[in-house]
Amino acid sequence: MFFSATITCSKKPTWKFNGRSFKITYPHWFEKAFTLVSLELLDVLAEDAEFRYTAPHPLGVTFGSYENGSWTGVVGDLEKRIRDIGVTVLSWNEARQEVIDYTRYFSTDYVTFVGPAPRAERRFGTLIQLFQAKLWLLYIFAGISSAFVTSLTWWFYRVKIERDTSEGIIKIILCETLWISMQAGVWQGAERLPKAHGARITLTSWWMVCLIVLNVYCGNIRAFLSINMPEKPLNTIEEILKTGEGKLLAIPGASVVSLMETSTNEVYREAWRIHAKYNQGPALQFLHYFEEVKKGNYFLGTGSTLRYFSQLCATNISECPFHVSTEPIKLDFMGFGLQKGSPLEYALSERIVWLVQTGFVLRWYQKHTNLFKLQSPCAFANTKSNDNLVPLSLHDLGVTFLILLSGLVVATVTFIFEFLICRSKISSFFRQATLIHST
């Protein structure tokens, strides 16, 4: 957990500042975001500790990152003692702790990411997508196998038993068998049935498979097409890495970057490598990160901040272009940043603890966050999707192919009996011919 740094000084910590004036610093976008809560809290602290504060035009445009041997942004302002208080959601990490101090945190939030909103389900190719690929392959293989067994038994009956040696009989048998299998697969009856028992058993088994599969398929496609189902949004870092699409962005120097860099989790380590690849050079302004999200990228940040800016960037449009993930990557702590060894730390931290315990800070958050709810098509809650419909798999329809397999076994046994009967008839014919010839 995050705890404020300990001030090492010989004097007793100061409670009152007798009208002393301090300068605050914050990113230029901060006035439009959480200023209401932070400054209302700072007003109470200033009145209680008897100090004033001024807010000159902010010099730092970012939270602050370490570049070329020095800190920039809000952290840089505090390190260089240009400002006294950093009024921003300034995450704690070890690198920042070396150059600045923090007050006690007055709010906590989970770091997550915002990405593009799920698009409407693409209907093109739905007829194929309703079955998994291996189920389609098995269906096609079963149809070809049934046609082959039917052709073999039918050929045996026509040529070996009925002694049909007319020209083109093999071609006729193949064409009729394939046509019968195709008709069964499109829910139609065959014009002509084979006379061989084995072929009829095989064809009956294949028809039963087609009947079950096609009924289930048609029922599923009716349900699927009657629901306008959006694509499933990405809710974890691992899902982003699996897609291999989009950049993973974060504000340089943010605590989540340090977490991923030092993590033993390979998923977070890979996420950090992607972040390092695409976050070279000067940091973007906060709102510009959301422009990158619109292009299909992903931006790491605290959940409340991401949800707020999702609404702020989606005004005057009809559809929300963003989706805030539900994955809690890490817990973040929100407090004020101070100069290293600042006498303000003790006075502010003690009063922040009291205001949090009495519920004032929570009340301010509830009051001010309600102001920007429902101002855009992006709901303050996370985007939800209906992903109940899934492609049918072999697990769902495997029993139909067991029916076909059973039919093939029975057909094979029948084929063997027909073969033995044929052998018996041929032997009897030759015996009679030999007897007639001898007489």
Side-chain angles (χ1 to χ4, degrees), residues 146-161:
S146 299
F148 174 75
V149 175
T150 304
S151 300
L152 181 63
T153 54
W154 200 355
W155 168 83
F156 181 80
Y157 182 85
R158 293 282 295 272
V159 175
K160 296 296 183 180
I161 297 180

Side-chain angles (χ1 to χ4, degrees), residues 6 31-32 100 148-149 201 211 243 258 272 324 358 365 397:
T6 302
E31 293 176 286
K32 299 180 181 179
I100 66 172
F148 174 75
V149 175
I201 294 173
L211 182 64
T243 63
S258 302
W272 173 77
V324 180
T358 54
Y365 264 101
L397 300 180

Side-chain angles (χ1 to χ4, degrees), residues 371-403:
L371 295 177
F372 58 79
K373 284 185 178 180
L374 305 178
Q375 291 183 352
S376 78
C378 294
F380 189 73
N382 293 322
T383 305
K384 295 182 179 179
S385 64
N386 180 9
D387 56 354
N388 295 326
L389 292 177
V390 296
L392 297 178
S393 66
L394 182 60
H395 176 76
D396 302 313
L397 300 180
V399 66
T400 62
F401 294 98
L402 291 178
I403 295 174

Side-chain angles (χ1 to χ4, degrees), residues 10 21-23 33 36 57 192 283 338 372 380 400 403 424:
S10 58
S21 179
F22 296 101
K23 296 180 180 180
L36 295 175
H57 183 72
R192 181 181 179 186
L338 304 171
F372 58 79
F380 189 73
T400 62
I403 295 174
S424 177

Side-chain angles (χ1 to χ4, degrees), residues 36 232 263:
L36 295 175
K232 184 179 180 180
S263 175

